Structures are given as structure tokens and as C-alpha cells.
């Protein structure tokens, strides 16, 4: 136990005299740690704490600490430390008779080293090194990542379950016969006999070309990814007994 480093405030530090070192905020320390032999339990309210000790006899711990100070603490900044200083000063004529070991230096009294900052500058460095809120940030980051991943998963499932409409086209095809003697009913029957996944035949009609010759004009709907019009035309033209040629008269995306 000991006052390991007393910072300057109201003459609490004397650079030429190491015995004058005191804590950075003497008010805070004396507020909660004025030393008495009675080992009175520390209470939370600092005003109550000071008031509750005014009637107790101080010890050599108070004397040594008092003597280490060059001047009283500033009352406007450290009212409790000032009160303690004035209280101990009232016992100045009895210093030698107060209980305790007068041979001990003031550094033998005070909080444990682990409870007290050795140097305020070191405290600032320690604050930089220790992230008191690091665990909270990590928990928040983990939670945010979990929520993000969950939403991405839901979006992917929703997207996968939604069937994208197939791209389709409506086509008007013309099928020309060899001559006016070609059986157009058989020609159309041969065209419609072609069945494929993604192919739907529609309405048809005969359109006069001239000299008694008519061509078959037929509508069809195709799924673009499944049906190749070039291959379909080749297959229709494979009926050489009836079909001379084919043409795409019109085509429109659905």
C-alpha cells in the first residue's frame, strides 16, 4: 500500500521535493480513502463519508500525508480534500501523539498500487491500449453480420422460388407449295405434325400468290431458349413432296 505518485494540483507537487507527490485528483482519493485506524467502512456518498469522519481521531497516516503537501488544496476544485486538510491542521499541536507509526513515510499509506494510477500520462496511454467497449463492438458487429446473412439467405430463397417467365416470341411463317396442284391440307397437316417443347401452333390461312397458287400462312409461339427457327424451317422443308420453301413474315417478342 502507498501513495505511488501524487500529481500536481494546488501545490501538491514539488519537482525538487519528491515527497510532495500526490494523486492527480486528491479530492477523489481523499474523498473515498482518508486513512483512519478505526477502519470505518467506506460509504458511497462522499459528503456523508467526510462528515462521518470529522469526529474521529486522525492517525500518523493523515499526519504524513498532510506534511507532504506544500499548501492547502484549492477549495473550489477539491472541497473534500480541503475539508480534510483543515481538519488535520486543527490537530497540528498533537501530531506527535496521534496513533500510528511516525517513522513511516507518507508513501507507506494510501491505496494499493493496483488501485491507483502511477502517473496520469501513463493512464492516458493505458486508456488507448485497453478498449473498454471492444467486446460490445464485437458483439454488435457479430449481430449485424448475422442479420445481414439471414436477410441475404431469405432474399436468395425468395429469388430461387420465383420462376422467371420464359422469353417467348410470336412468329408468322409462310410455307410455299410447289404449284397449284399441291394438296394444301396435307401440307398444313405435315407442318402441324411437328411437335416440340416450347412450340405452339396457332391460327393459319391460305394466301393467294397468283396463277391459282396459294401459300400457307401460319402463326406459332416459340420459347426463345428452346426453339431455333432456322432448325424448325429446315424440318418443315424436309417435306419435299409438298413444301418448296419457308419464310418468316413477322416476328414479335411477347
Amino acid at each position: 500500500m502507498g501513495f505511488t505518485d501524487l500529481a500536481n494540483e494546488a501545490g501538491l507537487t514539488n519537482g525538487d521535493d519528491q515527497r510532495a507527490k500526490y494523486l492527480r485528483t486528491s479530492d477523489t482519493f481523499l474523498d473515498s480513502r482518508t486513512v483512519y485506524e478505526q477502519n470505518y467502512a467506506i460509504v458511497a456518498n462522499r459528503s456523508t463519508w467526510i462528515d462521518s469522519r470529522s469526529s474521529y481521531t486522525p492517525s500518523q497516516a493523515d499526519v504524513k500525508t498532510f506534511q507532504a503537501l506544500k499548501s492547502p488544496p484549492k477549495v473550489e476544485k477539491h472541497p473534500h480534500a480541503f475539508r480534510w486538510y483543515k481538519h488535520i491542521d486543527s490537530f497540528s499541536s498533537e501530531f506527535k501523539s496521534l496513533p500510528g507509526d511516525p517513522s513511516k513515510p507518507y508513501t507507506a499509506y494510501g491505496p494499493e498500487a493496483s488501485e491507483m494510477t502511477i502517473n496520469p500520462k501513463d493512464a492516458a496511454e493505458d486508456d488507448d491500449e485497453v478498449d473498454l467497449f471492444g467486446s460490445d463492438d464485437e458483439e454488435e458487429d457479430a449481430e449485424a453480420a448475422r442479420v445481414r446473412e439471414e436477410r441475404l439467405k431469405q432474399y436468395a430463397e425468395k429469388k430461387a422460388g420465383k420462376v422467371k417467365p420464359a422469353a417467348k416470341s410470336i412468329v408468322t411463317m409462310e410455307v410455299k407449295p410447289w404449284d397449284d396442284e399441291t394438296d394444301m391440307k396435307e401440307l398444313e397437316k405435315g407442318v402441324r405434325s411437328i411437335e416440340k417443347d416450347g412450340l405452339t401452333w396457332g391460327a393459319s390461312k391460305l394466301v393467294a400468290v397468283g396463277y391459282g397458287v396459294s401459300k400457307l400462312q401460319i402463326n406459332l409461339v416459340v420459347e426463345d431458349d428452346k426453339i431455333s427457327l432456322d432448325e424448325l424451317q429446315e424440318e418443315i422443308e424436309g417435306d419435299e413432296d409438298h413444301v418448296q420453301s419457308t419464310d418468316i413474315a413477322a416476328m414479335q417478342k411477347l
Side-chain angles (χ1 to χ4, degrees):
M1 176 179 291
F3 291 105
T4 52
D5 189 5
L6 308 180
N8 56 6
E9 187 64 49
L12 300 184
T13 299
N14 186 334
D16 298 328
D17 188 359
Q18 293 299 318
R19 72 185 180 84
K21 292 183 178 179
Y22 202 64
L23 69 160
R24 181 183 180 189
T25 55
S26 58
D27 185 40
T28 302
F29 176 77
L30 293 173
D31 186 18
S32 60
R33 293 303 179 97
T34 300
V35 184
Y36 290 93
E37 296 296 331
Q38 289 81 358
N39 293 323
Y40 188 85
I42 297 174
V43 295
N45 187 288
R46 56 188 184 181
S47 296
T48 304
W49 191 90
I50 289 291
D51 293 340
S52 67
R53 283 158 174 69
S54 298
S55 61
Y56 283 81
T57 303
S59 68
Q60 290 299 321
D62 295 280
V63 172
K64 293 300 180 180
T65 303
F66 176 88
Q67 292 174 342
L69 303 178
K70 288 295 186 181
S71 61
K74 293 181 179 180
V75 64
E76 64 274 11
K77 290 188 176 181
H78 308 293
H80 301 290
F82 178 81
R83 179 186 177 89
W84 167 85
Y85 186 92
K86 298 297 289 183
H87 178 65
I88 302 304
D89 185 45
S90 67
F91 290 89
S92 58
S93 61
E94 306 174 38
F95 277 1
K96 293 183 179 179
S97 63
L98 292 178
D101 186 355
S103 64
K104 290 183 179 181
Y106 80 95
T107 54
Y109 304 101
E112 297 292 344
S114 61
E115 300 177 7
M116 186 175 177
T117 300
I118 293 180
N119 192 305
K121 292 177 65 178
D122 296 338
E125 294 177 0
D126 292 341
D127 290 342
D128 291 339
E129 294 175 359
V130 179
D131 184 4
L132 298 179
F133 302 99
S135 59
D136 292 338
D137 291 342
E138 291 175 2
E139 291 177 1
E140 290 177 2
D141 290 344
E143 177 64 14
R146 184 190 68 78
V147 173
R148 182 174 61 254
E149 291 300 325
E150 183 176 339
R151 289 179 178 175
L152 288 173
K153 182 179 179 181
Q154 292 176 351
Y155 174 76
E157 291 176 351
K158 183 178 180 181
K159 187 176 181 181
K162 186 177 181 180
V163 179
K164 183 179 179 180
K168 296 181 180 181
S169 300
I170 182 169
V171 180
T172 299
M173 182 182 294
E174 294 180 343
V175 183
K176 298 176 182 178
W178 287 106
D179 51 38
D180 59 343
E181 295 182 358
T182 301
D183 188 342
M184 296 304 293
K185 290 184 179 180
E186 288 295 323
L187 183 147
E188 183 175 354
K189 183 179 179 180
V191 171
R192 290 185 179 276
S193 66
I194 300 174
E195 296 180 353
K196 294 179 179 292
D197 183 23
L199 169 63
T200 303
W201 296 106
S204 64
K205 64 179 180 178
L206 296 178
V207 179
V209 177
Y211 303 100
V213 178
S214 296
K215 61 183 178 182
L216 173 67
Q217 191 175 81
I218 187 169
N219 294 326
L220 58 148
V221 176
V222 297
E223 291 186 24
D224 298 340
D225 292 338
K226 296 179 178 180
I227 302 297
S228 167
L229 290 177
D230 290 338
E231 293 179 359
L232 180 60
Q233 286 179 267
E234 289 181 2
E235 189 169 352
I236 293 174
E237 291 171 359
D239 183 8
E240 297 180 352
D241 293 336
H242 301 92
V243 179
Q244 177 190 16
S245 62
T246 60
D247 289 309
I248 302 298
M251 181 175 178
Q252 183 179 354
K253 296 290 183 179
L254 288 179

